[in-house]
Amino acid sequence: MSEADKKYPVIVISRQYGAGGRSVAKGLSEKLGIPWYDKDIMKKTAEESGISEENIKQAGEQVNRTMHFMSIFAPVTYESETDVIQRAQEEVILNLAKEGPCIIIGRCANALLKKVGIPNLSVFLYADIDQRAKRAAELGENGTLELKRYIAKRDNMRAGYYKTYTGHDQGDFKDYNICLDTGCIGYDKAVEIIAAMAESMKQ
């Protein structure tokens, strides 16, 4: 295969809340010329599952264990709505990955692609709490909750979701090709590093 015919791997960005996942994904998309998906996955998941986008947004990364006993989708197996959403998301992610190189944010995509054997570059972004608080203030998603408490809440939700659907601890370096401290190096440098790795992994 000629160099011109080689393609980038699918890039999966996992992250702590406020560590700049969307900013880095957007920068990578512009630099590499490949699409990135975040909220688009929610829309496609709604189409796949029949669950409204609003309900999917509310479920987010939160795993409500009581839902395992109250699902209207599979009352015999007690499948929760969150399980239905996750399964639909997995189908969406696999379809996107099969279409060609892209960037996918979160949703346990790194574990899923590894499981099915789709080459991917798995990244974990993190930063110290003060740096993330600055970003969280810009996002303005905390409502009346104090910023650092809100960050801790979102981190716990993501960690619980990741543990439930992968069996692993989020942020464990063994699940990723590279872990980057965006609070230390900044978003632009993170984009540069990930892009260089993606270039070296083209096939």
Side-chain angles (χ1 to χ4, degrees):
M1 181 184 294
S2 68
E3 194 65 31
D5 292 329
K6 291 183 178 180
K7 295 182 178 180
Y8 292 113
V10 175
I11 300 172
V12 179
I13 298 179
S14 303
R15 73 286 186 224
Q16 290 183 318
Y17 182 77
R22 286 194 293 269
S23 297
V24 171
K26 183 178 180 181
L28 277 170
S29 176
E30 294 171 351
K31 188 175 185 66
L32 301 180
I34 60 177
W36 67 286
Y37 300 106
D38 182 16
K39 293 182 179 180
D40 315 73
I41 295 177
M42 182 174 68
K43 181 177 180 179
K44 292 178 182 294
T45 298
E47 296 170 357
E48 289 285 334
S49 65
I51 299 171
S52 71
E53 286 187 51
E54 183 60 30
N55 283 351
I56 292 173
K57 182 178 180 180
Q58 288 176 358
E61 295 149 330
Q62 184 173 356
V63 177
N64 184 344
R65 297 188 184 280
T66 63
M67 293 174 71
H68 284 273
F69 303 97
M70 299 176 63
S71 175
I72 63 171
F73 296 95
V76 175
T77 57
Y78 303 107
E79 184 177 43
S80 75
E81 184 178 57
T82 310
D83 292 336
V84 175
I85 291 170
Q86 178 62 18
R87 191 174 68 250
Q89 282 186 157
E90 289 178 352
E91 288 298 318
V92 169
I93 289 167
L94 288 176
N95 288 335
L96 292 173
K98 290 173 182 176
E99 288 176 3
C102 62
I103 302 158
I104 298 172
I105 297 182
R107 296 171 174 83
C108 306
N110 58 321
L112 173 63
L113 297 184
K114 181 178 181 180
K115 179 180 177 180
V116 300
I118 294 178
N120 69 96
L121 167 54
S122 180
V123 179
F124 183 73
L125 304 180
Y126 65 98
D128 68 40
I129 189 65
D130 290 330
Q131 292 291 333
R132 292 196 288 143
K134 290 179 182 178
R135 177 57 178 159
E138 295 172 359
L139 294 173
E141 298 174 339
N142 59 303
T144 59
L145 197 61
E146 190 271 330
L147 279 174
K148 291 185 179 179
R149 289 185 61 190
Y150 181 72
I151 291 170
K153 176 182 176 181
R154 291 294 298 270
D155 282 347
N156 288 335
M157 287 165 62
R158 287 183 179 178
Y161 194 96
Y162 192 82
K163 183 74 171 182
T164 297
Y165 290 109
T166 70
H168 299 177
D169 294 323
Q170 188 186 45
D172 185 336
F173 72 91
K174 294 189 291 296
D175 274 358
Y176 313 97
N177 296 110
I178 188 170
C179 299
L180 296 172
D181 182 346
T182 55
C184 176
I185 66 174
Y187 300 161
D188 290 342
K189 188 63 176 180
V191 168
E192 182 182 326
I193 292 170
I194 299 167
M197 289 189 69
E199 190 70 36
S200 70
M201 293 174 67
K202 288 172 73 173
Q203 55 180 296

